[in-house]
Amino acid sequence: MRTNLLCTSDVVDEKEKPETLCNLLVYDRRFKTGSIIIYCWKRKTVNEVAKMLRGKQVSCRPFHSGLQPEEKDSIQKEFCENKVRVLVSTI
């Protein structure tokens, strides 16, 4: 495995997922810096998670097939230029 990548998963009660995710991104030193991609099964979930994270002041954008190509290009560029720290995307 590459040393600059971290892949992790946790089993969390459904009701605790939002708080657990926010705590990881805000307080866990492993996730304080660097770029992060969060994968979700559905576009609706992508949008909900991205909105929740932005509400916690996490630099975040949703990324899925429902977006216009120009918007997807813009988001990808922002992510690659470190202007957006977290992408929430469909699998």
Side-chain angles (χ1 to χ4, degrees):
M1 184 176 228
R2 292 172 42 176
T3 59
N4 65 333
L5 295 178
L6 173 65
C7 182
T8 184
S9 65
D10 291 317
V11 177
V12 179
D13 183 80
E14 191 68 30
K15 293 177 184 176
E16 296 174 2
K17 281 183 182 181
E19 181 179 350
T20 300
L21 181 58
C22 284
N23 286 340
L24 282 173
L25 294 176
V26 174
Y27 301 113
D28 192 312
R29 67 178 174 81
R30 298 174 297 168
F31 304 106
K32 281 239 179 216
T33 61
S35 301
I36 298 170
I37 302 174
I38 299 169
Y39 290 104
C40 303
W41 289 108
K42 298 177 182 178
R43 287 189 286 186
K44 178 182 177 186
T45 307
V46 166
N47 291 328
E48 290 170 352
V49 170
K51 182 178 179 181
M52 184 248 331
L53 291 175
R54 284 192 309 269
K56 298 289 185 179
Q57 308 307 313
V58 174
S59 172
C60 176
R61 295 289 300 269
F63 192 86
H64 53 69
S65 63
L67 302 173
Q68 295 298 316
E70 300 82 21
E71 186 174 9
K72 288 169 65 173
D73 289 344
S74 174
I75 293 169
Q76 186 174 6
K77 182 179 179 188
E78 289 175 355
F79 185 70
C80 290
E81 293 175 349
N82 295 315
K83 294 177 181 174
V84 171
R85 183 171 161 240
V86 179
L87 278 188
V88 184
S89 179
T90 49
I91 294 178

